[in-house]
Structure formats: C-alpha cells, structure tokens
Amino acid sequence: ARQSLRVRIEQVLDGMNPRYARALRLRLLEDRSREECASLMEITVNNFDVLLFRSSKAFRVECEKIGLRLG
C-alpha cells in the first residue's frame, strides 16, 4: 500500500508546475533543510517558504481532483 501511495504521489507531482514539484520533492521527500532547498533553487529562504506554501496548496488541490486522500 505504501509503494502504491508513493506512485500516486509521484504522478501528482509529475502533473504539477515543475517549480512547485521540485520544492516539494526537495523539502518533503528528500528531507532537506529550508536553507538548503532555497540555495538549490537559487532563491531566498523567505521566497522558498512562500513557494513551499503555494506548492503544498496546489498539491492538495491536485490530490482532491483525483480523489487521493493523504493523512
């Protein structure tokens, strides 16, 4: 079940804005610090925080569209 969920999550990420998907992958899937994520994306930490918030919101919307419930 866990592998199936991971596949569905990747499908959602693949269908998202690439910048949003990258922010989510770096922070949540790769468990990198905010500072490291910001550096890798060549933005400030404050900008990364905004990007992560927007990415999370977009991810939730996409999950709802396909009926994927998380948590």
Side-chain angles (χ1 to χ4, degrees), residues 23 26-27 32-42 48:
L26 288 172
R27 182 71 175 123
R32 295 176 185 256
S33 71
R34 292 168 44 242
E35 294 78 12
E36 187 177 6
C37 293
S39 176
L40 288 167
M41 296 190 75
E42 300 179 345
F48 180 77

Side-chain angles (χ1 to χ4, degrees), residues 13-70:
L13 290 172
D14 287 344
M16 290 178 64
N17 173 309
R19 188 171 161 93
Y20 285 0
R22 183 170 186 223
L24 291 170
R25 282 187 174 106
L26 288 172
R27 182 71 175 123
L28 303 176
L29 299 180
E30 296 179 17
D31 199 30
R32 295 176 185 256
S33 71
R34 292 168 44 242
E35 294 78 12
E36 187 177 6
C37 293
S39 176
L40 288 167
M41 296 190 75
E42 300 179 345
I43 58 178
T44 67
V45 173
N46 288 339
N47 283 346
F48 180 77
D49 290 342
V50 171
L51 180 62
L52 186 62
F53 175 79
R54 291 178 181 168
S55 302
S56 298
K57 196 171 178 180
F59 183 81
R60 266 192 303 279
V61 168
E62 292 303 313
C63 284
E64 288 173 6
K65 284 182 185 177
I66 66 168
L68 179 60
R69 293 194 182 277
L70 303 173

